[in-house]
Amino acid sequence: MNYPYENLENFTLPSLLNRSVKLYETQDILAKVGQTPMTYTEFDTAVQKTVLLLKGYGIKKGDKILLLSENMPNWGVAYFAVTYFGAVIVPVLPDFHPSDVHRIMKHSEIKAVFVSSKHQQTIENYGGSNNKFVLNLDSLTLVDKMCNVDYIYAVETNTQDTTPHEDDLAALIYTSGTTGNSKGVMLSHKNLVTNAMSAYIQVQIKKEDVFMSILPLAHTFECTVGLIVPILHGSSVHYIDKVPTPSVLLKAFKIVRPTMMVSVPLIIEKIYKSKVLPKFTGSFLMRTLYSIGFIRKRLNKIAGKKLIETFGGRLRFFGVGGAGISPYVEQFLIEAEFPFIVGYGLTETSPLIAGSVLGAKVKHRSTGIAMAGVEIAIENKDPKTGHGEIIARSPSIMMGYFKDEEKTAEVMQDDWFLTGDLGYLDEDGFLFISGRSKNVLIGSGGENIYPEQIEATINQNESVVDSLVMMDKNQKLIALINLDEEKIYHEEKNREEYLENMRKDVNAQVSSFSRMVKFIEEKEPFVKTPTKKIKRFLYADKY
């Protein structure tokens, strides 16, 4: 695949950065909302200083460095500095439970850590011996009390060739809180760079474009589309340093006036439900008018213009991914002529596989066409529906799962990646996703939630026979609990109170996005397969 990017020596992150610094040296690159942005030259200077710092403290090509922080300009500095000389970045979602962070630190064999002041306590509580030193991300300086002084001062001058190659490991990304059989996705420089370049068919990005970042940068979707892509095109990115509540977002939109954003569906769905829909359903007359097709379309078009004003008036691209968008919200966005794109992908695919094309006709419920350089096929098709498992082949497919050849073999078939998702391609090559064959649930922020991991925590309670974690009709996490009658009878007669106390206890042990709103007693034993796995689909419609 020939990508339309000149002066790119190879498909590595240093090559991408060097090209952009040369082309866009005086352009703005990264900033917090309301603050003066760094230029591309200033960003490069910060990266090179950090490279020298890391090398001086003994980090070598192939060494892994953890990155735990909320979004900020220095997140990008650390990311590009680590990968610039062949070391490997291990980004971690900041709302992972500390125990999950510690498991990742041990499993990935990290040698150092970048951490923001806000999350420093998590690293301080780590008891492992593999970490050699910690750098505060806010200041890019050593945290003295968490450094192995003997190691740092024993380091000799590093003369090793540190130029990364396309197929070298660049990022190790853990898709969820980990357990004993955790999965770390290995992404090479070529995986990430080619994926960033593949978006050019879907949307044209200019150096004048201004991105506003609201998703965690440790999420592959935000990192690729919200960091690497804008840097590739000379654009700037602005970060919110607070929780993105509606009031915080509205203020930020007025200051930044972004032209581009990526988001999970929850943001636009909340805006639609709280700002748009009430105006059309607040009275009997408006409800009646809104139920008439051509009037509804006219009203939605007017609402769409006002919605763009809410975003600051300049928005020309709003990328939606990480979870499925509600059909009725998508219909509104189409009729409102809102400049949105729906994308599809996985961490294992760096992440983009398919996306709709900005300005082209949108097919309702479709995730669009294949990205540039990506092949999509459907395997094991149902002869009646044409639905089957979505598989993909591209330069962006992961290198495999870290320390797990068995699981890697399960999802790789020659050069094809088996997504575990079900769907079909129409006659025009548009991809439609009909369901997930895997059990993974998608959180409101786009996080992958693995129910088995939460169930393992619940099942530690001796009064629990079995549990089943699922989403209810409001997309909230709930758990069905089958209790041991003999044990529960002696411990607690008030079942609801007992389950509520158990819920609070379990929620304290899992990541914030894995917390459940309700425990429901399932009095009959769960129906299981011959291999003793719960038949989940039997309970989905019920709740």
Side-chain angles (χ1 to χ4, degrees):
M1 179 70 193
N2 293 320
Y3 300 93
Y5 297 97
E6 298 178 356
N7 306 321
L8 189 69
E9 294 181 0
N10 51 53
F11 296 138
T12 64
L13 290 166
S15 179
L16 183 149
L17 178 61
N18 293 341
R19 172 185 176 275
S20 292
V21 170
K22 184 179 292 186
L23 291 175
Y24 313 115
E25 54 185 353
T26 60
Q27 293 284 122
D28 292 341
I29 182 169
L30 302 178
K32 286 187 178 181
V33 170
Q35 296 185 5
T36 303
M38 285 189 281
T39 65
Y40 273 76
T41 297
E42 290 169 339
F43 178 79
D44 184 53
T45 299
V47 168
Q48 300 308 327
K49 285 183 177 179
T50 308
V51 167
L52 291 175
L53 190 72
L54 292 169
K55 284 185 174 182
Y57 291 141
I59 297 301
K60 303 185 295 296
K61 185 175 182 178
D63 285 347
K64 298 172 185 68
I65 300 182
L66 194 87
L67 175 52
L68 174 64
S69 170
E70 66 277 19
N71 290 4
M72 63 172 73
N74 278 351
W75 199 102
V77 172
Y79 184 91
F80 275 91
V82 169
T83 55
Y84 198 88
F85 66 104
V88 179
I89 196 74
V90 186
V92 177
L93 286 165
D95 49 1
F96 268 174
H97 193 274
S99 62
D100 292 330
V101 177
H102 297 161
R103 290 190 192 101
I104 290 170
M105 293 176 72
K106 183 177 181 180
H107 186 263
S108 63
E109 303 171 353
I110 56 102
K111 293 293 177 64
V113 173
F114 280 100
V115 64
S116 65
S117 300
K118 183 177 178 181
H119 298 280
Q120 193 165 302
Q121 188 64 46
T122 296
I123 304 303
E124 287 182 14
N125 294 336
Y126 176 61
S129 60
N130 53 315
N131 185 40
K132 304 302 181 184
F133 63 91
V134 175
L135 289 163
N136 178 273
L137 193 65
D138 303 78
S139 60
L140 296 175
T141 57
L142 278 176
V143 181
D144 292 335
K145 63 180 177 180
M146 288 190 283
C147 293
N148 183 332
V149 177
D150 293 336
Y151 169 81
I152 290 173
Y153 285 102
V155 170
E156 299 178 359
T157 303
N158 186 359
T159 58
Q160 178 195 35
D161 176 24
T162 57
T163 303
H165 302 289
E166 294 179 353
D167 295 324
D168 286 344
L169 179 61
L172 177 58
I173 302 172
Y174 289 80
T175 56
S176 73
T178 59
T179 61
N181 56 354
S182 58
K183 292 191 299 183
V185 176
M186 298 188 292
L187 299 179
S188 70
H189 285 262
K190 187 175 184 178
N191 291 158
L192 293 162
V193 173
T194 56
N195 201 256
M197 294 192 299
S198 72
Y200 75 90
I201 288 178
Q202 271 70 11
V203 59
Q204 301 300 309
I205 302 168
K206 307 170 185 176
K207 65 181 181 180
E208 296 81 15
D209 277 314
V210 178
F211 283 69
M212 194 165 87
S213 177
I214 61 175
L215 300 179
L217 278 164
H219 195 298
T220 313
F221 178 44
E222 181 67 25
C223 186
T224 296
V225 185
L227 178 66
I228 301 175
V229 165
I231 289 178
L232 174 64
H233 294 91
S235 307
S236 64
V237 187
H238 296 251
Y239 299 107
I240 298 173
D241 58 0
K242 299 178 182 178
V243 177
T245 61
S247 60
V248 169
L249 286 174
L250 289 173
K251 290 178 183 177
F253 290 150
K254 289 181 181 178
I255 296 170
V256 178
R257 299 183 63 232
T259 63
M260 300 202 161
M261 281 184 67
V262 293
S263 173
V264 291
L266 178 67
I267 301 295
I268 197 69
E269 289 174 1
K270 278 189 173 180
I271 292 173
Y272 174 70
K273 290 177 182 178
S274 62
K275 299 290 184 183
V276 179
L277 198 58
K279 295 180 180 178
F280 297 146
T281 57
S283 68
F284 175 76
L285 176 60
M286 286 303 298
R287 284 196 300 273
T288 303
L289 291 173
Y290 200 60
S291 66
I292 302 171
F294 75 94
I295 296 179
R296 184 196 70 241
K297 290 179 181 179
R298 182 71 62 86
L299 291 172
N300 281 343
K301 189 173 182 179
I302 295 171
K305 291 180 180 179
K306 292 183 177 180
L307 187 57
I308 289 177
E309 288 302 316
T310 300
F311 282 87
R314 300 194 301 179
L315 193 70
R316 69 180 192 89
F317 162 72
F318 190 89
V320 181
I325 189 169
S326 299
Y328 68 92
V329 176
E330 183 184 7
Q331 188 63 49
F332 160 73
L333 294 176
I334 293 171
E335 294 177 355
E337 298 180 0
F338 191 74
F340 79 106
I341 283 180
V342 176
Y344 165 69
L346 302 92
T347 301
E348 289 91 337
T349 57
S350 305
L352 300 174
I353 292 177
S356 48
V357 178
L358 189 64
K361 185 177 179 180
V362 176
K363 291 196 177 187
H364 191 226
R365 307 307 299 141
S366 171
T367 59
I369 61 174
M371 309 297 291
V374 178
E375 296 176 71
I376 299 174
I378 307 298
E379 191 175 61
N380 300 322
K381 291 183 184 178
D382 184 300
K384 294 182 179 179
T385 65
H387 295 209
E389 183 176 6
I390 301 166
I391 63 174
R393 178 166 64 181
S394 82
S396 302
I397 301 299
M398 68 169 182
M399 301 169 69
Y401 295 121
F402 186 56
K403 296 181 180 177
D404 204 330
E405 293 182 5
E406 184 178 344
K407 280 192 171 59
T408 300
E410 288 176 5
V411 298
M412 296 302 299
Q413 183 176 292
D414 296 326
D415 294 331
W416 291 88
F417 173 70
L418 314 182
T419 68
D421 294 329
L422 302 174
Y424 66 95
L425 291 165
D426 73 3
E427 64 280 2
D428 299 317
F430 281 75
L431 178 65
F432 292 80
I433 299 174
S434 52
R436 293 183 178 272
S437 60
K438 297 178 181 178
N439 295 330
V440 64
L441 303 172
I442 305 298
S444 60
E447 308 93 346
N448 287 346
I449 301 171
Y450 292 84
E452 293 92 342
Q453 295 180 1
I454 307 173
E455 288 157 8
T457 302
I458 297 172
N459 294 346
Q460 289 177 359
N461 189 307
E462 61 179 9
S463 63
V464 174
V465 176
D466 259 322
S467 62
L468 177 62
V469 173
M470 59 196 301
M471 293 279 193
D472 66 9
K473 63 182 179 181
N474 297 314
Q475 296 300 296
K476 301 293 184 182
L477 279 179
I478 62 171
L480 311 184
I481 312 292
N482 183 227
L483 295 167
D484 186 316
E485 286 298 326
E486 293 184 4
K487 292 178 181 177
I488 188 68
Y489 179 81
H490 297 293
E491 293 178 18
E492 186 65 64
K493 291 185 179 180
N494 187 329
R495 299 294 184 94
E496 290 186 3
E497 182 180 343
Y498 183 78
L499 288 171
E500 177 61 11
N501 290 334
M502 188 193 302
R503 181 187 71 86
K504 291 177 180 178
D505 180 64
V506 172
N507 279 350
Q509 302 176 56
V510 299
S511 301
S512 58
F513 53 74
S514 297
R515 291 171 186 159
M516 291 147 287
V517 298
K518 192 173 184 179
F519 276 15
I520 301 170
E521 184 179 3
E522 187 70 19
K523 295 187 177 181
E524 297 296 324
F526 289 105
V527 179
K528 298 182 178 182
T529 65
T531 56
K532 304 302 179 184
K533 295 178 181 177
I534 298 173
K535 294 187 176 181
R536 295 174 180 271
F537 68 93
L538 295 177
Y539 301 89
D541 292 339
K542 184 176 178 181
Y543 293 95

